[in-house]
Amino acid sequence: MEPRDYVARLRTQANDPGREEALRRDRRVRRLKIGLAAGAGVLLLGGFGYWLSDVTGERPPYEPFGAQTLHEEVWPLEWPYTPDMPFRNSPASGWADGADGIYTPVPLESGGLTAKEMTAVLDDVKTLLAETNASEDTLAGAEPAAALALLDPRGVDDAVRKDMVTRFDPQEVYLDENGIRTRGTMNYEVSAAGELVVHVDYSFVYALVRAEAGHEVVPGVPEVARIAVRRQFTVTSRGGKLVLGAYASEVANHDCSAPKDGHLHPLFAEGRWKAGRAATGTKVAMADLYAETRVLPAGPGHCVTPSGT
């Protein structure tokens, strides 16, 4: 375009009687857009502030505020577990399932005992562990009579005998289909008297669901609770029986205030959070269930507040 034409066009536009009205409309539209943008920003900040105060203030930390929008793998530790990921954030997630996680060592002939004889004893110890801690019938309340019969009754008092068995009240909870995670060690030695002595240190982590319809994490998805049981004991094979020696056990995420009715009562998210708060600032130590070298205090049924299950 020639400069003269461009100047003429500007003069024409300047003299246009509708130009001022068009400019006023344009300014109104821009002011409206700026106002709407500012209002949206205020609403967004206000909504975020309300969410933040809700999460950190009145809303308990164990109550999911957006479970349907987040992948469960990244949920906060305080949030409930579900059947989709019942062992979320737990070292037990990679453990073996149930009795498959109870491994017996391969024995070598020693101290006058054959490998076959030692294998029979080690298998009995595995049976004792499996039937008292990983049998679905036992967990639902059955008596593992055959397994307990492997023990010499003269070396086991009633309190220890009851404590060796893991049971849940079927009216309260049932085992989730993902079941149990198991890990531990079993080793042996032959004593100077020629008897096989077996040392056991095993942990079992259970995923449990309420038997009655209760709190749902999201619609149609029930909550899962975890209980962990650790057992350390020594048995000596003598006269065809297992003679119990040193014994210690520990249970975590169990309601320590529950009646001693022979059942373990798991704490769900709300109870777990309250138990953790009650332990804060007290002399109650948070127990690390997964510290493999930790030696439990002697005796049955120590109920502890776990650092995690």
Side-chain angles (χ1 to χ4, degrees), residues 67-308:
Q68 291 178 305
T69 62
L70 296 175
H71 191 281
E72 188 168 346
E73 192 172 4
V74 298
W75 284 9
L77 292 173
E78 296 86 357
W79 285 15
Y81 312 121
T82 77
D84 292 332
M85 295 186 71
F87 295 99
R88 186 183 85 242
N89 297 324
S90 171
S93 62
W95 291 5
D97 182 35
D100 291 341
I102 304 174
Y103 300 104
T104 57
V106 178
L108 298 174
E109 185 173 336
S110 176
L113 295 175
T114 66
K116 183 177 180 180
E117 289 171 327
M118 289 189 282
T119 296
V121 174
L122 294 171
D123 285 345
D124 282 348
V125 176
K126 177 175 180 175
T127 297
L128 176 64
L129 270 174
E131 291 301 312
T132 53
N133 295 281
S135 162
E136 291 191 13
D137 289 341
T138 300
L139 296 176
E143 177 75 5
L148 291 174
L150 296 170
L151 291 168
D152 186 336
R154 293 171 295 181
V156 188
D157 62 34
D158 287 341
V160 171
R161 182 184 293 274
K162 291 178 181 177
D163 185 74
M164 294 185 80
V165 182
T166 301
R167 290 191 183 93
F168 301 101
D169 184 350
Q171 301 300 313
E172 180 186 1
V173 292
Y174 63 88
L175 195 66
D176 179 71
E177 63 179 10
N178 290 279
I180 312 163
R181 294 294 179 268
T182 307
R183 186 175 180 179
T185 59
M186 184 189 304
N187 53 66
Y188 70 91
E189 60 184 320
V190 179
S191 70
E195 297 172 327
L196 188 66
V197 181
V198 183
H199 305 282
V200 169
D201 182 358
Y202 263 91
S203 296
F204 304 86
V205 183
Y206 306 88
L208 302 151
V209 182
R210 287 186 177 94
E212 294 184 355
H215 173 72
E216 293 183 336
V217 182
V218 295
V221 179
E223 184 179 349
V224 167
R226 294 198 298 255
I227 270 189
V229 175
R230 187 169 182 177
R231 304 200 186 280
Q232 294 176 343
F233 61 84
T234 298
V235 289
T236 299
S237 177
R238 185 178 301 152
K241 291 287 186 180
L242 300 175
V243 179
L244 186 65
Y247 178 83
S249 72
E250 188 173 82
V251 58
N253 203 44
H254 159 67
D255 184 358
C256 302
S257 65
K260 298 186 183 302
D261 56 4
H263 299 115
L264 296 181
H265 302 277
L267 295 172
F268 287 80
E270 181 178 359
R272 189 173 72 241
W273 178 71
K274 289 179 178 177
R277 286 192 56 164
T280 302
T282 69
K283 294 182 179 179
V284 177
M286 299 290 279
D288 181 1
L289 302 174
Y290 301 102
E292 295 183 358
T293 59
R294 187 164 64 92
V295 177
L296 306 184
H302 296 287
C303 190
V304 300
T305 300
S307 57

Side-chain angles (χ1 to χ4, degrees), residues 38-67:
V42 169
L43 288 173
L44 180 60
L45 289 174
F48 177 76
Y50 175 79
W51 171 84
L52 185 62
S53 65
D54 201 24
V55 170
T56 59
E58 295 181 2
R59 181 189 293 277
Y62 55 83
E63 284 287 347
F65 56 83

